[in-house]
Amino acid sequence: MHFSRLRLSGFKSFVDATEFHIEPGLTGVVGPNGCGKSNLLEALRWVMGANSAKAMRGEGMDDVIFAGSGGRPSRNHAEVMLTVDNADGTAPARFAAEPVLEVVRRIDRGAGSTYRINGVEVRARDVQLLFADASTGANSPALVRQGQISELISAKPQNRRRILEEAAGVSGLYGRRHEAQIRVRGAEVNLVRLDDLSRQLESGLGRLRRDARTAARYKKLSAQIRALHGAVLHARWSEAVAGLAAARGEANQRHVAAEVAARAAAAAATEAVEAQAALPPLRDEETAAAAVAHHLEIDKDRLDRALEAARAEVARLTDDRRRIGDDLHREGQAATDAADQLRRLAADLVQVERDVAAAPERTPALETAARDAEQSRAAADAALEAAAARVAAGQAEARAAQARLVEAQGRLSR
């Protein structure tokens, strides 16, 4: 496999589209440190399917995109195209007829990489096998980088074996064998799953047989049910026809009744109009009656209050009458006592006069006693007169109370 051209765009330090021609023979790249010599080798490895960001001297695969500089903005994608001479037709069968193969890898920031061979989008594995069949690739020892010689000297036997396999041109076969083994293991897993599925299908087939028998019974019963349902529907139809005839007769009767009701409704509407015309006077009377009822309600409330006041007055006058009666009884008792005292005093006066007549010598003492008796009699007369005045006042007050009581009873009766 002969590499004829390498085109870089936006890859690391190659911000502008740059083409690197690889002519037959020995091609050398000379330049100071940091000028990008190693970037060419990394571009070759990257376009051949390298998927290790560490191998590209970065933290992530997006680090291969130009990150910008003091005078140039960063790019959002990078693309490397490797032109391969396929004149001997050693490419895979799908590309064997192509004299030139253009392998392109493009990466967009945050979106991952895509591969194309002669404009046809392919997998990364297809690109890796293409170069593995040619005894090269992204991890080929033919791509010697700085410090790799010492690594080869101290490499493990497995790594040396890989170098010999690549030199013998069988690394692609080993890659395909690895893929075939993966597919065989996948096929074995699928066979195990198919065995499980076949057992599940066998059990499901038994269920389906039972369901088929159930479905046959269901169809048979459904046919019987449909026949019975048809008989029931025919019976209902016959019943409905008889009912329809009866309903038509009843509808005729209802129609006659509706005409009678319509005439009655017309008469009722006429009466309603007349009643509507007679409503205003009745409403006026109702308003007047409501006003009268309101006034009567007010009078009733006033009379209720007057009745309560009259009852309270009757109760008060009854108490006054009872008190005056008690006063009259007490004053009468006092008058009786005064009359008894006057009688005793009169008897004493007669005895005193006899004593005066019988004993002139006792005249001064008797005169004195007489004067005392006269004073006592005068005091008793005054007390009697006062008692009589009180009795008269009590009687007058009793008569006034009796008059007020009679008046209150009359008011209560009204």
Side-chain angles (χ1 to χ4, degrees):
M1 178 177 288
H2 177 67
F3 299 160
S4 60
R5 186 179 58 173
L6 182 67
R7 185 176 185 275
L8 304 92
S9 176
F11 185 86
K12 289 198 171 184
S13 60
F14 296 94
V15 58
D16 295 323
T18 303
E19 288 191 2
F20 177 66
H21 293 274
I22 305 173
E23 302 295 343
L26 181 63
T27 301
V29 180
V30 181
N33 292 336
C35 69
K37 299 186 299 297
S38 299
N39 291 343
L40 291 174
L41 179 61
E42 290 175 359
L44 277 173
R45 300 182 63 192
W46 186 71
V47 75
M48 286 191 289
N51 51 17
S52 173
K54 187 176 181 181
M56 297 291 107
R57 297 181 297 171
E59 296 294 332
M61 195 55 73
D62 287 346
D63 291 342
V64 302
I65 304 174
F66 178 70
S69 61
R72 302 293 296 273
S74 62
R75 299 284 295 272
N76 289 325
H77 66 275
E79 183 177 285
V80 175
M81 182 179 68
L82 177 62
T83 302
V84 179
D85 185 4
N86 189 36
D88 54 358
T90 57
R94 58 186 297 189
F95 301 110
E98 301 289 339
V100 176
L101 299 180
E102 291 183 349
V103 182
V104 179
R105 181 176 181 180
R106 178 187 174 93
I107 183 172
D108 293 312
R109 192 180 300 276
S113 300
T114 57
Y115 294 83
R116 293 192 307 276
I117 298 178
N118 286 356
V120 179
E121 188 169 345
V122 295
R123 301 177 303 165
R125 188 62 180 168
D126 296 333
V127 174
Q128 293 170 358
L129 288 176
L130 171 66
F131 291 104
D133 290 338
S135 300
T136 183
N139 298 318
S140 173
L143 299 177
V144 181
R145 64 181 182 274
Q146 184 178 2
Q148 189 173 0
I149 301 300
S150 60
E151 291 179 5
L152 292 175
I153 294 173
S154 61
K156 295 180 180 180
Q158 293 86 351
N159 296 336
R160 293 178 183 176
R161 178 183 176 181
R162 184 168 56 83
I163 295 172
L164 295 175
E165 289 174 351
E166 185 171 330
V170 296
S171 58
L173 296 177
Y174 278 103
R176 285 185 172 84
R177 186 186 71 174
H178 179 66
E179 283 191 355
Q181 289 175 348
I182 293 175
R183 291 174 183 173
V184 168
R185 285 195 294 270
E188 291 174 352
V189 173
N190 291 333
L191 287 174
V192 174
R193 291 186 60 194
L194 285 175
D195 290 337
D196 295 338
L197 289 175
S198 64
R199 286 193 294 271
Q200 293 178 4
L201 290 175
E202 286 293 335
S203 61
L205 185 59
R207 288 195 302 271
L208 289 175
R209 290 194 184 99
R210 291 192 297 270
D211 292 342
R213 290 193 295 269
T214 304
R217 291 183 57 199
Y218 171 76
K219 289 181 179 179
K220 183 178 179 181
L221 293 175
S222 297
Q224 296 176 358
I225 290 172
R226 282 195 296 271
L228 293 174
H229 188 61
V232 170
L233 289 177
H234 183 270
R236 289 182 179 176
W237 176 79
S238 301
E239 184 180 354
V241 169
L244 178 60
R248 285 177 178 172
E250 186 177 356
N252 293 330
Q253 296 177 0
R254 295 291 178 86
H255 183 67
V256 174
E259 291 179 353
V260 175
R263 289 194 293 270
T270 304
E271 293 178 359
V273 172
E274 295 175 354
Q276 187 70 24
L279 276 178
L282 294 177
R283 286 175 179 169
D284 295 338
E285 292 179 2
E286 181 185 4
T287 304
V292 171
H294 180 67
H295 289 302
L296 290 176
E297 186 69 23
I298 295 173
D299 293 340
K300 180 179 178 297
D301 294 338
R302 186 176 64 254
L303 290 174
D304 288 340
R305 291 193 296 271
L307 177 61
E308 293 296 332
R311 286 177 179 173
E313 185 68 18
V314 167
R316 186 180 65 78
L317 293 176
T318 302
D319 293 339
D320 292 343
R321 182 179 179 183
R322 186 171 53 255
R323 181 176 55 76
I324 290 170
D326 294 339
D327 292 340
L328 286 175
H329 178 70
R330 186 174 61 255
E331 294 300 333
Q333 188 66 34
T336 303
D337 294 340
D340 293 339
Q341 189 175 2
L342 284 175
R343 284 193 298 273
R344 287 195 302 273
L345 290 175
D348 292 340
L349 180 59
V350 172
Q351 183 64 35
V352 169
E353 287 178 350
R354 281 199 296 270
D355 290 342
V356 170
E361 64 276 6
R362 297 177 58 193
T363 300
L366 292 174
E367 289 179 351
T368 303
R371 285 195 298 274
D372 294 336
E374 185 64 24
Q375 291 177 355
S376 299
R377 185 185 63 79
D381 291 339
L384 180 60
E385 290 177 357
R390 286 198 299 275
V391 169
Q395 290 177 350
E397 188 174 357
R399 285 192 297 272
Q402 184 67 27
R404 289 197 300 272
L405 179 60
V406 171
E407 182 181 0
Q409 287 177 348
R411 289 171 57 194
L412 181 61
S413 298
R414 289 195 302 273

